[in-house]
């Protein structure tokens, strides 16, 4: 359509079926069988369109075909976001969706890169959910086609990291810089005070630093959920819990609608115990004590069940598992100088 290769035309198909065939030099068509956009011909009218806009309701609708509804119910999705729009209406719909979701975390941020740090902290303060992660400090990258610098939401990088690493890998691990080499800069340079305020406020953020070799690195500076509860605050811990719970749930699923006998319960408990012990031996997910003993408990016997409930078809299982914590701070106490005295400890 048209004769200017530099002008892109967008056509929207509004009805089923395909356009009517046109014969050359017939019903207003030219010698090649084409008609001009907006030209009235004998058989039909081609109406010139207008630029449209996607409404917030196209995202926030509770209809089954709406984006947030689809992402909330689709199995196998562990990180979800609405990219390109993160205003109050979108965030509100995500908060509602997150309240009834499991096995996934929703990512969000303020609507554009110019939002002040204090505003981001205030916005985050109104959200309380371990199924939401709120991010600050937009990232710039180079468009591979136009070679122009463009900006994108700060949660895109951590979501990319999560999609390429195991659940117990913290998004801020410096090893993850291999996944953020596309990033060119961040909108705000954050000093120690800025980073401390954001972390205290429960806001996850992108920042610019140098790696161990002195190379420029852009990566997450932390990774938090929107919960201030210590056991639910770290994003990697949320994913570690989901990984373990999902594995145990799959073991339980194989026992559904089968006989609830002591032997069957012992077999299931043995399988779960072996799984958790293997994780502990590999120093992944499950913590051990100084002697190497895995720190977990899993029982499904009479100590956690009532016979009447079991007869009615309800079986209780109890899992208490200590996760491996990450180093969130490493404090170095140093005395360095020509008059420093070294004593034997």
């Amino acid at each position: 359509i048209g004769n200017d290769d530099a002008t892109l035309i967008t056509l929207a198909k509004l009805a089923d079926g395909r356009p009517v065939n046109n014969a050359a030099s017939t019903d207003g068509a030219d010698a090649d069988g084409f008609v001009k956009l907006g030209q009235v011909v004998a058989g039909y009218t081609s109406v010139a369109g207008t630029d449209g806009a996607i409404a917030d309701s196209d995202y926030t609708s509770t209809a089954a075909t709406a984006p947030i509804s689809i992402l909330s119910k689709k199995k196998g999705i562990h990180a979800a976001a609405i990219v390109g729009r993160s205003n109050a209406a979108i965030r509100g719909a995500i908060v509602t969706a997150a309240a009834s979701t499991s096995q996934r975390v929703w990512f969000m941020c303020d609507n554009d890169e110019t939002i002040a740090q204090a505003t981001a902290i205030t916005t985050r303060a109104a959200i309380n959910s371990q199924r939401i992660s709120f991010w600050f400090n937009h990232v710039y990258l180079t468009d591979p086609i136009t070679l122009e610098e463009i900006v994108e939401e700060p949660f895109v990088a951590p979501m990319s990291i999560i999609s390429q690493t195991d659940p117990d890998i913290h998004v801020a691990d410096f090893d993850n810089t291999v996944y953020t080499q596309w990033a060119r800069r961040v909108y705000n340079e954050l000093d120690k005070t800025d980073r401390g305020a954001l972390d205290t406020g429960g806001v996850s953020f992108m920042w610019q630093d140098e790696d161990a070799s002195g190379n420029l690195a852009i990566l997450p500076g932390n990774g938090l959920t929107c919960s201030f509860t210590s056991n639910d605050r770290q994003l990697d811990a949320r994913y570690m819990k989901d990984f373990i719970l999902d594995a145990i749930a799959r073991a339980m699923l194989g026992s559904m609608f089968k006989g609830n006998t002591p032997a069957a319960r012992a077999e299931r408990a043995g399988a779960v115990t072996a799984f958790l012990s293997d994780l502990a031996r590999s120093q992944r997910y499950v913590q051990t004590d100084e002697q190497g003993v895995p720190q977990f408990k899993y029982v499904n016997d009479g100590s956690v069940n009532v016979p009447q409930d079991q007869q009615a078809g309800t079986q209780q299982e109890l899992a208490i598992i200590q996760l491996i914590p990450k180093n969130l701070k490493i404090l170095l106490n140093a005395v360095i100088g020509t008059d420093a005295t070294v004593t034997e400890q």
Side-chain angles (χ1 to χ4, degrees):
I1 300 174
N3 56 12
D4 184 356
D5 293 338
T7 301
L8 299 179
I9 303 296
T10 300
L11 296 180
K13 189 170 182 293
L14 302 178
D16 294 335
R18 60 183 178 83
V20 183
N21 290 333
N22 285 288
S25 303
T26 302
D27 291 335
D30 61 20
D32 295 317
F34 296 103
V35 295
K36 296 179 180 179
L37 189 64
Q39 177 183 342
V40 178
V41 297
Y44 62 94
T45 300
S46 176
V47 180
T50 57
D51 289 339
I54 300 175
D56 289 340
S57 58
D58 292 329
Y59 295 100
T60 62
S61 170
T62 56
T65 55
I68 293 179
S69 295
I70 294 174
L71 290 174
S72 295
K73 298 176 182 179
K74 185 69 175 179
K75 291 184 177 181
I77 295 177
H78 297 282
I82 300 298
V83 180
R85 184 176 302 199
S86 192
N87 58 30
I90 300 296
R91 294 196 301 269
I94 289 176
V95 169
T96 299
S100 58
T101 194
S102 62
Q103 297 294 312
R104 78 198 63 208
V105 174
W106 282 91
F107 289 73
M108 64 167 65
C109 63
D110 272 308
N111 205 33
D112 67 77
E113 68 274 19
T114 65
I115 298 298
Q117 173 181 309
T119 301
I121 294 174
T122 299
T123 302
R124 155 64 185 92
I127 303 169
N128 185 18
S129 171
Q130 61 179 303
R131 291 293 177 183
I132 298 176
S133 185
F134 189 93
W135 287 77
F136 175 74
N137 213 15
H138 284 56
V139 178
Y140 286 83
L141 66 152
T142 301
D143 186 292
I145 304 299
T146 65
L147 300 182
E148 294 179 339
E149 189 178 62
I150 58 176
V151 64
E152 69 178 10
E153 286 91 340
F155 56 68
V156 172
M159 290 181 71
S160 176
I161 292 171
I162 289 168
S163 72
Q164 299 176 80
T165 56
D166 290 334
D168 63 333
I169 302 299
H170 199 290
V171 293
D173 187 327
F174 255 91
D175 291 343
N176 293 329
T177 54
V178 297
Y179 304 117
T180 59
Q181 293 179 355
W182 48 266
R184 293 292 170 261
R185 65 184 177 95
V186 289
Y187 186 80
N188 296 285
E189 290 287 349
L190 303 176
D191 61 20
K192 181 179 179 180
T193 300
D194 295 329
R195 300 194 302 272
L198 288 165
D199 193 82
T200 300
V203 178
S204 303
F205 60 88
M206 295 294 295
W207 75 310
Q208 182 172 299
D209 196 13
E210 293 182 351
D211 62 18
S213 300
N215 299 313
L216 176 66
I218 296 176
L219 75 164
N222 59 357
L224 306 173
T225 70
C226 285
S227 172
F228 284 111
T229 303
S230 60
N231 194 49
D232 299 325
R233 192 167 188 258
Q234 294 299 320
L235 185 60
D236 69 306
R238 178 64 271 165
Y239 278 118
M240 291 166 73
K241 294 176 193 177
D242 286 346
F243 171 78
I244 293 174
L245 290 172
D246 183 63
I248 295 176
R250 291 179 185 277
M252 291 180 173
L253 184 62
S255 300
M256 286 296 293
F257 304 106
K258 295 180 181 177
N260 190 2
T261 65
R265 293 194 292 271
E267 180 181 1
R268 185 168 61 254
V272 173
T273 297
F275 166 70
L276 296 174
S277 296
D278 286 344
L279 292 178
R281 277 193 294 271
S282 63
Q283 299 183 34
R284 304 285 298 273
Y285 300 90
V286 181
Q287 182 68 295
T288 62
D289 63 13
E290 295 297 331
Q291 288 71 44
V293 178
Q295 298 300 288
F296 73 87
K297 174 182 179 181
Y298 190 88
V299 292
N300 60 7
D301 56 17
S303 64
V304 293
N305 281 282
V306 177
Q308 293 88 338
D309 291 341
Q310 291 176 317
Q311 291 296 328
T314 299
Q315 165 67 24
Q316 298 281 351
E317 316 260 321
L318 173 65
I320 302 175
I321 304 166
Q322 184 180 126
L323 296 177
I324 297 175
K326 299 297 193 300
N327 292 321
L328 303 179
K329 293 181 180 179
I330 300 179
L331 305 179
L332 173 64
N333 297 307
V335 178
I336 304 174
T338 56
D339 59 348
T341 301
V342 179
T343 58
E344 296 294 332
Q345 297 294 326

